Amino acid sequence: MPTGGFPIAQIPHSFGFSGSDRLPQPRPVINPDMPAAHMTNSTGGLGCEPGYNYFFPGEHTKIHVLKTGSTPPWQFPRTYTMPFHACHVPVRTTVGELLHGFGATNPVSKLNKVVEVTQGENGRWYSGLSFSGDEKQNMAKTLKEVGWDKTRSGHPGCKPVVHLYITKD
């Protein structure tokens, strides 16, 4: 026994895929509202191929996507509690990639929209900066270029988390 008093388990290294330590996993539940949460790999599977790791970008922003369907958040009563997705998104992501990653893929590009919303002191939501899928120059801008960067942490004394309303209707 080692000095800590715990036995060391001997695990064979040939029980996973092709002799790796990775065991088969169940298929993840795919959320059609957020297809970017799952990476399709070169074999058609989800996530990294066995034996590979993902190299994460160094800088992210925090984003909460308000899930209010076809009704924008600023049209709800101030007491309405909204469901949302909370995500860390690389700041090098373009606005167009963000729309696509959150399922805004209407073939009529002007219907794919993202609106930054802010919550007022009275509990109401207000619309702010917005982009439409038919705005080619804006679709190429990165999140960092539009001000959605690592400073949007929501920590005391820092800028608030980015709140977005995304629609394809």
Side-chain angles (χ1 to χ4, degrees), residues 46-78:
L46 296 175
C48 293
E49 291 92 343
Y52 283 82
N53 292 304
Y54 184 75
F55 185 87
F56 286 93
E59 190 176 332
H60 295 79
T61 189
K62 288 184 179 179
I63 293 179
H64 293 177
V65 178
L66 303 178
K67 307 305 294 179
T68 60
S70 60
T71 305
W74 52 90
Q75 292 182 2
F76 283 93
R78 64 182 184 82

Side-chain angles (χ1 to χ4, degrees), residues 66-140:
L66 303 178
K67 307 305 294 179
T68 60
S70 60
T71 305
W74 52 90
Q75 292 182 2
F76 283 93
R78 64 182 184 82
T79 57
Y80 183 74
T81 302
M82 295 176 206
F84 63 93
H85 289 302
C87 303
H88 287 106
V89 181
V91 298
R92 295 184 304 202
T93 303
T94 66
V95 174
E97 291 168 339
L98 183 82
L99 281 170
H100 188 267
F102 280 105
T105 56
N106 192 317
V108 180
S109 60
K110 70 178 178 182
L111 296 178
N112 299 313
K113 296 179 182 177
V114 57
V115 181
E116 183 174 12
V117 293
T118 56
Q119 189 173 27
E121 290 182 19
N122 60 2
R124 294 195 67 85
W125 291 92
Y126 298 93
S127 64
L129 185 63
S130 67
F131 302 102
S132 175
D134 61 344
E135 301 168 355
K136 298 290 185 205
Q137 279 188 314
N138 286 331
M139 292 298 102

Side-chain angles (χ1 to χ4, degrees), residues 39-45 47-49 52:
M39 179 181 82
T40 302
N41 64 41
S42 63
T43 66
C48 293
E49 291 92 343
Y52 283 82

